[in-house]
């Protein structure tokens, strides 16, 4: 039997294709064991709906589609906002693959369908057979909540769960593969469908991806904020020359950091080890010091470590908070405390090297919105990163990745990195359409890239940027570039909100409200509305302001304004890159 056809069509990144090649090899073996199924000419349609903010769930959905095809099924892979709630009644076989965002919320492209399924009082789905794959991160309180919500909702509406939901942590590939290899044959088996004989296609060459990041070279590390600023934001340029990789304005670059050597040393001391103890990591024996340097999160404590410390120390306060299950109290307790703080506070809970690392989470990459256009800079990626540094519990604390870039990368150290494409966060294809960009703080990053892209394309469409930060004198980053874009006419409008230059805070949404009439006009002219930066406060307030502007200047009711915004979302004219 040949391997299934593997087409080279977008949106697969090179990394995803590499992963798929291994995946299909596994599928080939799996399918070989299922040749007893009988052939059938009518192929069963299965619908695969994904909710995805940064592309992982989308890539898994595409993988599932390819495997379904190999099983002779006809897959329809769509983002959730491409279908209406009522369409669910016509579907017999459904796979839902969704990540979770915000605080246990739907990703942006799943929200509309979720809202309309909940608003639709009469919806019954007795004819629907489904399974859910949920992507999430156990460091969030509401782990995989969006997937859980879909699973519960579909059952409540009368649908039949034909395979249990799988909840995946950040290393989702294996769990996703197991789910796909279990659920697709079930759907195919239901109709007696057999596996399609398709052509083999060689996968070209080794590529760079999450499991095999590209060793980039740091070319530039420049302070953007003034030395006297209350914050530190830096501009980085990372060479990707020779990688064969390319990117688009709107994509993100993921950086795989290593931990600060001083923190590693302090932790080794705190657990009363030496560092040369052997520990097993991914089946290999390595030294504890190396393991803590490159393989584990050693700043932010995970639930397992916290519970172990609580049990071993018997500390009343910590045990009380954990037992009460009060997430807010726990989060308040942990605010500003890292693993070392806990180990120093509870020295009684001595752990062996092996016990300690068994309680740690694998070290994760961090995503950064790219602040350059791949057309202008094909061989380099620019990033705009706020360094996380704060004092608490008598020590200076440093964010792992932001200070890895700021302090630890030198001529000898590579920046291991890979791209995550963001297909919807893109400069519009139509160069004549206006774009409105709201990006305070590091949220400016993709808009610097958008402006470079519009300039490169000689696009005639109007560009409007809302930017803000703490103080104009110290935090007006990329000022020269923005002013020169204003002078050249590329930046049609620039509205600035410096929050701490006066008594009362002024934020980007205040500027939006002030300029509401014109903002609405731009939207009516077919404008795109982009938001980047803080997800938890800024993006929510900007969303409210957008609704208010549309209601006021479009002379619409509250509900009509919601519908207007939903139409913008559906048309991918209101898109967000928030974190
Ligand atoms: C799609 C996407 C795009 C992104 N783009 C950008 C970007 O362009 N630029 C950018 O700078 N970031 C961006 N981020 C955020 C970035 O990925 C990292 O989260 C950020 O750099 C912090 O990572 P770190 O490893 O330095 O900190 P970590 O080691 O992860 O520590 C961060 C943690 O420290 C704690 N903390 C932080 N500040 C304080 C404080 N003052 N007091 C107490 N505790 C505190 C909090 O618990 C916080 O979660 C993006 C994220 C995503 C998902
Ligand atoms: N979810 C996250 O973990 C998350 C999200 C965003 C940023 N960060 C991290 O925080 C650090 C700094 O981030 P940053 O430079 O992007 O932004 P930032 O420093 O948090 O804020 C930039 C500007 O936004 C203002 N702001 C605060 N609340 C707002 C609101 N509700 N609406 C509109 N504007 C608001 C701030 O004002 P004031 O401060 O004066 O109120 C400041 O002027 C980085 O390390 C970044 O990665 C983390
Ligand atoms: C701002 C932000 C909020 C998140 N919130 C949650 C959450 O509440 N629960 C969870 O399990 N995962 C959460 N995640 C993790 C994502 O669901 C996870 O990284 C997922 O693999 C992303 O998939 P996607 O690329 O398809 O969007 C969050 C991630 C980010 C960046």
């Amino acid at each position: 039997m040949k391997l299934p056809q593997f087409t080279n069509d977008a949106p697969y990144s090179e990394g995803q294709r590499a992963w798929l090649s291994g995946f299909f090899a596994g599928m080939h073996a799996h399918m070989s064991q299922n040749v007893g199924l009988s052939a059938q000419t009518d192929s069963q349609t299965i619908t695969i709906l994904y909710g995805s903010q940064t592309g992982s769930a989308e890539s898994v959905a595409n993988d599932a589609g390819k495997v379904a095809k190999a099983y002779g099924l006809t897959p329809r892979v769509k983002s959730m906002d491409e279908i209406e709630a009522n369409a669910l009644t016509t579907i017999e076989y459904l796979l839902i693959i969704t990540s979770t965002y915000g605080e246990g919320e739907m990703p942006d492209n799943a929200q509309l369908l979720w809202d309309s399924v909940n608003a639709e009082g009469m919806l019954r789905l007795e004819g629907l057979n489904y399974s859910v794959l949920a992507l999430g991160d156990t460091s969030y309180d509401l782990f995989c909540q969006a997937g859980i919500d879909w699973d519960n909702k579909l059952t409540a509406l009368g649908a039949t769960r034909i395979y249990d939901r799988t909840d995946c942590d950040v290393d989702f590939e294996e769990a996703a593969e197991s789910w796909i290899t279990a659920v697709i044959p079930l759907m195919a088996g239901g109709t007696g469908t057999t596996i399609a004989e398709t052509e083999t296609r060689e996968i070209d060459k080794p590529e760079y991806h999450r499991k095999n990041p590209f060793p980039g070279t740091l070319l530039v590390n420049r302070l953007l904020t003034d030395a006297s600023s209350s914050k530190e934001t830096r501009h980085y340029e990372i060479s990707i020359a020779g990688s064969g990789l390319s990117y688009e304005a709107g994509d993100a670059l993921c950086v795989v950091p290593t931990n600060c050597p001083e923190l590693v040393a302090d932790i080794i001391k705190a657990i009363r080890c030496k560092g040369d103890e052997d520990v097993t990591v991914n089946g290999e024996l390595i030294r504890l010091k190396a393991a803590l340097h490159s393989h584990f999160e050693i700043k932010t404590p995970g639930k397992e470590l916290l519970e172990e410390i609580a049990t071993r120390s018997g500390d009343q306060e910590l045990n009380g908070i954990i037992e009460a299950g009060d997430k807010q109290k726990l989060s308040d307790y942990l605010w500003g405390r890292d693993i070392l703080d806990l180990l120093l506070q509870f020295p009684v809970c001595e752990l062996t090297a092996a016990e300690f690392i068994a309680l740690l989470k694998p070290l994760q990459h961090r995503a950064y919105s790219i602040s350059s256009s791949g057309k202008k800079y094909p061989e380099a990626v620019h990033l705009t990163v706020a360094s996380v540094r704060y004092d608490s519990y008598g020590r200076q604390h440093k964010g792992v990745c932001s200070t890895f870039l700021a302090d630890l990368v030198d001529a000898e150290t590579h920046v291991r990195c890979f791209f995550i494409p963001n297909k919807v966060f893109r400069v519009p294809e139509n160069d004549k359409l206006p774009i409105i960009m709201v990006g305070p703080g590091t949220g400016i990053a993709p808009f610097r890239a958008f402006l470079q892209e519009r300039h490169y394309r000689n696009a005639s469409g109007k560009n409007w940027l809302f930017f803000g930060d703490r103080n104009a004198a110290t935090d007006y980053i990329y000022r020269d570039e923005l002013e020169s874009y204003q002078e050249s006419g590329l930046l049609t409008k620039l509205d600035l909100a410096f929050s701490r230059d006066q008594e009362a805070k002024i934020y980007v949404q205040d500027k939006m409200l002030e300029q509401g009439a014109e903002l609405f006009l731009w939207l009516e002219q077919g404008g795109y509305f982009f938001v980047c930066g803080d997800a938890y406060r800024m993006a929510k307030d900007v969303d409210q302001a957008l609704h208010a502007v549309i209601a006021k200047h479009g002379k619409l009711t509250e509900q009509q304004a919601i519908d207007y915004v939903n139409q913008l979302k559906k048309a991918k004219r209101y898109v967000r890159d928030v974190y």
Side-chain angles (χ1 to χ4, degrees):
M1 186 183 294
K2 294 171 186 166
L3 281 173
Q5 174 145 26
F6 178 64
T7 56
N8 199 14
D9 51 352
Y12 281 89
S13 68
E14 295 181 299
Q16 287 159 352
R17 285 205 302 275
W19 179 67
L20 262 177
S21 86
F23 178 56
F24 277 123
M27 275 306 299
H28 176 226
H30 181 83
M31 290 186 304
S32 309
Q33 295 160 12
N34 287 290
V35 286
L37 297 167
S38 61
Q40 185 172 294
T41 41
D42 283 347
S43 113
Q44 171 72 56
T45 298
I46 72 163
T47 304
I48 303 171
L49 294 180
Y50 61 84
S52 184
Q53 195 80 24
T54 54
S56 303
E58 180 181 355
S59 80
V60 176
N62 284 315
D63 300 342
K66 288 179 193 289
V67 174
K69 221 175 195 171
Y71 267 87
L73 298 165
T74 303
R76 283 196 317 153
V77 183
K78 287 183 176 300
S79 73
M80 289 201 202
D81 59 4
E82 286 178 273
I83 77 156
E84 303 289 336
N86 275 332
L88 291 174
T89 57
T90 63
I91 296 173
E92 203 179 339
Y93 289 98
L94 173 68
L95 297 182
I96 291 220
I97 301 170
T98 186
S99 60
T100 296
Y101 265 76
E103 290 164 287
E105 293 153 40
M106 296 288 154
D108 280 351
N109 65 1
Q111 190 64 51
L112 282 181
L113 183 65
W114 177 248
D115 289 346
S116 56
V117 161
N118 282 289
E120 185 60 70
M122 308 297 284
L123 198 67
R124 292 303 303 164
L125 299 175
E126 267 79 13
L128 181 75
N129 303 289
Y130 79 94
S131 182
V132 174
L133 180 76
L135 265 53
D137 179 342
T138 44
S139 59
Y140 288 90
D141 285 339
L142 297 168
F143 175 53
C144 285
Q145 191 60 46
I148 295 169
D149 287 345
W150 273 109
D151 196 10
N152 293 341
K153 189 78 203 172
L154 292 176
T155 304
L157 295 175
T160 305
R161 184 193 305 112
I162 61 162
Y163 190 76
D164 281 349
R165 189 185 73 245
T166 295
D167 295 340
C168 310
D169 203 351
V170 280
D171 280 322
F172 60 83
E173 283 92 341
E174 263 179 40
E177 179 179 334
S178 301
W179 178 81
I180 293 175
T181 49
V183 78
I184 300 276
L186 268 185
M187 292 195 162
T191 58
T193 312
T194 192
I195 301 152
E197 285 280 327
T198 46
E199 279 176 27
T200 308
R201 183 183 164 274
E202 284 293 310
I203 305 303
D204 316 323
K205 43 179 136 50
E207 291 148 332
Y208 300 104
H209 51 96
R210 207 155 84 94
K211 300 279 178 197
N212 180 32
F214 176 72
T217 308
L218 187 61
L219 304 172
V220 176
N221 169 359
R222 189 175 78 234
L223 186 63
L224 287 170
T225 41
D226 191 80
S228 64
S229 171
S230 57
K231 61 191 285 192
E232 174 187 316
T233 305
R234 309 190 78 93
H235 174 83
Y236 298 99
E237 297 183 12
I238 298 164
S239 168
I240 53 164
S243 67
L245 299 172
S246 60
Y247 67 95
E248 297 272 338
D251 290 346
L253 185 79
C254 293
V255 173
V256 184
T258 54
N259 285 306
C260 167
E262 285 85 36
L263 183 62
V264 170
D266 289 346
I267 285 183
I268 290 173
K269 201 168 147 203
I271 58 169
R272 296 175 206 179
C273 287
K274 291 204 192 88
D276 59 358
E277 295 81 357
D278 282 332
V279 289
T280 308
V281 179
N282 303 328
E284 277 181 39
L285 271 189
I286 60 169
R287 296 288 160 95
L288 174 65
K289 189 174 166 188
L292 295 180
H293 181 255
S294 312
H295 294 278
F296 294 100
E297 291 286 343
I298 60 167
K299 176 181 179 284
T300 306
K303 288 180 190 117
E304 287 82 4
L305 179 65
L306 207 59
E307 282 170 8
E308 190 67 25
I309 288 176
T311 309
R312 284 179 182 241
S313 68
D315 182 71
Q316 273 192 351
E317 185 190 7
L318 184 54
N319 279 292
I321 293 172
I322 292 175
E323 276 157 28
D326 186 333
K327 287 176 177 150
Q328 190 50 50
K329 264 204 175 139
L330 185 60
S331 150
D332 292 346
Y333 180 87
L334 288 177
W335 182 248
R337 268 188 171 105
D338 68 3
I339 291 179
L340 181 59
D341 294 320
L342 292 169
L343 294 171
L344 294 174
Q345 190 179 348
F346 303 112
V348 287
C349 49
E350 247 175 88
L351 292 157
T352 65
E355 281 170 344
F356 181 60
I357 62 151
L359 296 167
L360 300 178
K361 293 190 67 151
L363 183 56
Q364 288 303 315
H365 61 263
R366 269 60 166 175
Y368 294 100
S369 311
I370 295 172
S371 56
S372 51
S373 153
K375 296 205 175 59
K376 185 168 180 192
Y377 297 101
E379 301 217 313
V381 180
H382 299 190
L383 303 180
T384 307
V385 179
S387 308
V388 173
R389 299 184 200 272
Y390 55 94
D391 291 321
S392 60
Y393 295 92
R395 315 180 8 243
Q396 197 199 48
H397 292 61
K398 300 188 286 186
V400 175
C401 193
S402 55
T403 63
F404 161 76
L405 287 168
D407 307 340
L408 298 175
V409 183
D410 56 23
E412 255 85 82
T413 326
H414 282 125
V415 179
R416 294 186 302 143
C417 57
F418 61 95
F419 290 99
I420 43 173
N422 189 340
K423 277 196 303 161
V424 291
F425 206 85
R426 288 271 185 270
V427 173
E429 270 175 33
N430 184 339
D431 282 341
K432 293 186 185 132
L433 291 176
I435 61 175
I436 302 154
M437 301 164 279
V438 182
T442 53
I444 196 174
F447 303 135
R448 179 175 182 264
F450 277 22
L451 288 168
Q452 288 178 1
E453 183 90 4
R454 290 280 247 190
H455 184 246
Y456 182 91
R457 277 155 56 165
N458 212 7
S460 60
K462 298 184 286 185
N463 302 303
W464 187 349
L465 175 68
F466 290 89
F467 171 69
D469 214 315
R470 294 178 183 173
N471 300 102
T474 54
D475 308 321
Y476 187 176
I477 61 175
Y478 300 121
R479 180 180 190 149
D480 292 350
E481 290 180 23
L482 294 179
E483 287 180 352
S484 93
Y485 282 148
Q486 262 189 309
E487 276 161 31
S488 72
L490 179 77
L491 191 50
T492 323
K493 282 181 74 73
L494 173 65
D495 276 282
L496 300 167
F498 289 101
S499 54
R500 302 189 189 181
D501 275 353
Q502 60 289 305
E503 190 93 352
K505 296 260 170 148
I506 296 177
Y507 289 149
V508 280
Q509 61 271 25
D510 299 315
K511 295 287 164 184
M512 284 169 56
L513 292 167
E514 269 172 39
Q515 306 264 337
E518 190 163 3
L519 205 162
F520 184 69
L521 186 70
W522 281 45
L523 292 175
E524 286 288 285
Q525 290 166 346
Y528 280 61
F529 189 80
F530 296 98
V531 184
C532 180
D534 169 51
Y536 296 94
R537 296 160 302 155
M538 181 277 294
K540 289 191 167 131
D541 293 348
V542 164
D543 184 75
Q544 258 187 19
L546 180 66
H547 281 83
V549 162
I550 289 166
K552 182 171 175 195
H553 298 282
K555 299 189 173 48
L556 301 176
T557 63
E558 198 181 321
Q559 186 53 48
Q560 285 169 329
I562 292 172
D563 294 343
Y564 189 107
V565 170
N566 285 347
Q567 284 311 316
L568 289 178
K569 286 183 186 167
K570 277 203 157 173
K572 311 277 188 240
R573 286 175 48 211
Y574 173 20
V575 274
R576 308 188 308 167
D577 169 16
V578 293
Y579 43 89

